[in-house]
């Protein structure tokens, strides 16, 4: 029996079943690729939240390292007398060893300063650092970092990575189409 005879006499039901199975397999592969892409996006966002906190903590630690712990008030006045406050710095306050305010560059109530209540759709990361001098607490530095400017730079990076991933999926789909066409046998 020749192959042309077998192709010519193949039942339409078998052809429909084969095409249906191919469509199911293709749909399954698309769903798997979508789930992998979604999970990758979620993992990237979780990593970015960690990076945001680490960056905010590093910025606060930079301020803490520049303070003179023997004279907190004067040191804070020199350090935080900004002509232009950085965009990422929402507010900062310096507290003595008993928690009394020594220096305050904050506006509004404590809930808006720490990010408990949102002000102008601003998401804050509050960071409190113990200032120690010879193993004794000399005071506390509270810095509320505005996440928006930090997040804008990172979101641009995530968009680039996401579009590259979608491009790779598209190229794989085109390659699969060409490969499947090479194994296609025409009936004529």
């Amino acid at each position: 029996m020749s192959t042309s005879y077998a192709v010519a006499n193949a039942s339409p039901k078998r052809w429909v079943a084969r095409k249906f199975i191919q469509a199911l397999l293709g749909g399954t592969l698309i769903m798997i690729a979508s789930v992998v892409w979604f999970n990758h996006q979620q993992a990237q966002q979780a990593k970015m939240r960690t990076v945001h906190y680490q960056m905010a903590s590093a910025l606060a630690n930079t301020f803490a390292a520049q303070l003179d712990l023997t004279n907190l008030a004067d040191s804070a006045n020199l350090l935080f007398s900004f002509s232009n406050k950085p965009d990422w710095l929402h507010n900062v306050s310096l507290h003595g060893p008993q928690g009394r305010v020594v220096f305050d560059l904050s506006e509004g109530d404590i809930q808006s300063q720490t990010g408990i209540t949102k002000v102008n759709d601003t998401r804050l990361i509050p960071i409190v650092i113990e200032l120690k001098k010879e193993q004794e607490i000399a005071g506390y530095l509270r810095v509320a970092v505005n996440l928006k400017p930090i997040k804008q730079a990172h979101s641009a990076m995530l968009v680039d990575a996401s579009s590259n991933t979608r491009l790779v999926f598209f190229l794989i789909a085109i390659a699969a189409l060409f490969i499947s066409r090479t194994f296609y046998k025409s009936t004529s």
Side-chain angles (χ1 to χ4, degrees):
M1 175 187 315
S2 70
T3 56
S4 62
Y5 176 75
V7 170
N9 290 333
S11 71
K13 289 181 183 178
R14 184 174 174 190
W15 181 85
V16 169
R18 188 174 73 217
K19 293 299 176 186
F20 181 71
I21 290 172
Q22 289 173 350
L24 282 177
L25 287 174
T28 303
L29 289 176
I30 289 171
M31 289 299 296
I32 290 171
S34 298
V35 167
V36 167
W37 180 72
F38 181 74
N39 286 340
H40 174 72
Q41 291 295 99
Q42 294 296 323
Q44 285 296 94
Q45 288 178 354
K47 286 179 187 175
M48 283 297 125
R49 281 191 294 273
T50 302
V51 167
H52 293 156
Y53 180 79
Q54 289 171 345
M55 183 177 286
S57 181
L59 293 170
N61 282 323
T62 302
F63 279 147
Q66 295 175 14
L67 288 170
D68 178 17
L69 300 181
T70 55
N71 192 355
L72 286 175
D74 290 341
S75 175
N77 279 326
L78 287 173
L79 183 61
F80 300 119
S81 60
F82 300 113
S83 57
N84 290 328
K85 187 171 76 167
D87 291 341
W88 55 267
L89 181 64
H90 186 70
N91 59 53
V92 62
S93 64
L94 191 60
H95 303 265
Q98 288 81 24
R100 279 184 246 124
V101 176
V102 175
F103 177 83
D104 193 8
L105 189 67
S106 304
E107 298 170 3
D109 63 346
I110 191 67
Q111 289 184 336
S112 64
Q113 292 173 14
T114 56
I116 294 173
T117 58
K118 289 188 177 185
V119 177
N120 299 331
D121 198 34
T122 301
R123 183 158 175 244
L124 302 177
I125 299 177
I127 304 212
V128 177
I129 299 172
E130 285 184 346
L131 303 172
K132 290 187 177 184
K133 182 179 179 185
E134 298 173 8
Q135 302 302 325
E136 289 186 24
I137 295 177
Y140 301 94
L141 175 69
R142 184 189 52 79
V143 178
V145 177
N146 185 356
L147 190 59
K148 194 172 189 177
I150 297 171
K151 208 173 184 180
Q152 285 174 346
H154 288 155
S155 65
M157 183 179 67
L158 282 177
V159 166
D160 288 344
S162 173
S163 61
N164 288 342
T165 305
R166 282 181 274 171
L167 177 64
V168 167
F169 279 142
F170 177 72
L171 292 175
I172 288 171
I174 295 297
L177 178 72
F178 286 135
I179 290 171
S180 70
R181 292 288 109 196
T182 59
F183 293 111
Y184 177 75
K185 294 181 182 180
S186 67
T187 57
S188 52

